[in-house]
Amino acid sequence: ILINSSSDFIVAIDCEYRFIAFNAAYHCEFKKVFGTDINLGMSMSEALAHLPDEQTKLLALWGKALKGQNQVIEAEFGDPKRTRNIYEIRLNSMRNDHGDIIGASLIAQDINCRKTIERNFIQLNETLAQHVEAQTQQLNEQTLITKTITDNT
C-alpha cells in the first residue's frame, strides 16, 4: 500500500536483475516508455530485449547499484518510437542483515517539466543578455554623440 500511494516510480530487483517489487506508477511508466508489460519475476534484460541501447544503459546503471555503488543521476530513457522522458533517479543497493547485497532499489521522478523550464529560463537569460548588451551599446553611442556635440560647442 505504501509504495502504491506514491507518484514516484519505485522498483526493486534481485541480483539476477529480476523484478521483485514495483509500484503501479512504475509499472505504467515502464509500459508507456518501453512498451513492455512487466511482471514480478521477469528479468529486466528480457523486458528490454527489443531496445538493446536502453537495455545496455539500464543494466549498467543497475549493475553499479548491485556492486554497492549508490547514485543519484538525471538520465533520459524510453523507446524513441514511443516516448522519451528525463528522470531523476536514485539507485541504492539493498543488503541483508549480514551486509550482503541482495538486490537494488530505484526511486525515480519524471523531470521533463523541470528540464523544459530550465531550458526556457536559460534561453530567456540569453535573450535578456543580448538585449542588455544592445541597449548598452546604443546608450554608449548616444553618450559619445552627446559628448562630441558638447565638446564642439
Side-chain angles (χ1 to χ4, degrees):
I1 294 174
L2 179 62
I3 67 170
N4 277 327
S5 66
S6 177
S7 61
D8 290 347
F9 310 121
I10 302 171
V11 62
I13 63 167
D14 64 17
C15 292
E16 281 77 45
Y17 297 85
R18 292 181 303 230
F19 295 105
I20 57 173
F22 51 79
N23 67 353
Y26 183 85
H27 182 257
C28 290
E29 188 72 4
F30 199 96
K31 188 171 185 176
K32 182 177 92 175
V33 298
F34 298 119
T36 304
D37 190 12
I38 59 171
N39 53 59
L40 296 179
M42 177 184 266
S43 82
M44 184 169 296
S45 184
E46 174 189 343
L48 296 169
H50 64 292
L51 298 168
D53 291 342
E54 297 300 286
Q55 180 190 55
T56 300
K57 277 175 43 178
L58 278 164
L59 291 178
L61 279 175
W62 282 102
K64 290 178 183 180
L66 290 170
K67 291 178 182 163
Q69 183 181 351
N70 298 336
Q71 54 192 323
V72 178
I73 63 161
E74 291 180 359
E76 184 176 19
F77 292 104
D79 181 347
K81 295 176 184 167
R82 298 176 68 82
T83 186
R84 291 186 61 79
N85 289 329
I86 304 170
Y87 301 94
E88 180 179 274
I89 300 169
R90 298 179 189 290
L91 274 159
N92 294 290
S93 57
M94 298 186 314
R95 298 176 183 270
N96 64 16
D97 293 340
H98 303 290
D100 302 319
I101 294 174
I102 58 170
S105 65
L106 173 148
I107 299 174
Q109 295 176 328
D110 181 333
I111 59 170
N112 278 321
C113 288
R114 183 174 86 197
K115 288 301 190 181
T116 298
I117 290 168
E118 286 175 4
R119 283 190 298 270
N120 290 343
F121 183 73
I122 289 167
Q123 187 177 22
L124 286 171
N125 273 340
E126 290 171 355
T127 301
L128 178 62
Q130 291 169 358
H131 286 298
V132 167
E133 185 177 330
Q135 290 296 319
T136 301
Q137 184 163 348
Q138 189 177 33
L139 182 60
N140 287 340
E141 289 170 3
Q142 289 175 352
T143 302
L144 184 60
I145 291 169
T146 303
K147 186 176 183 319
T148 302
I149 291 172
T150 306
D151 288 349
N152 290 336
T153 55

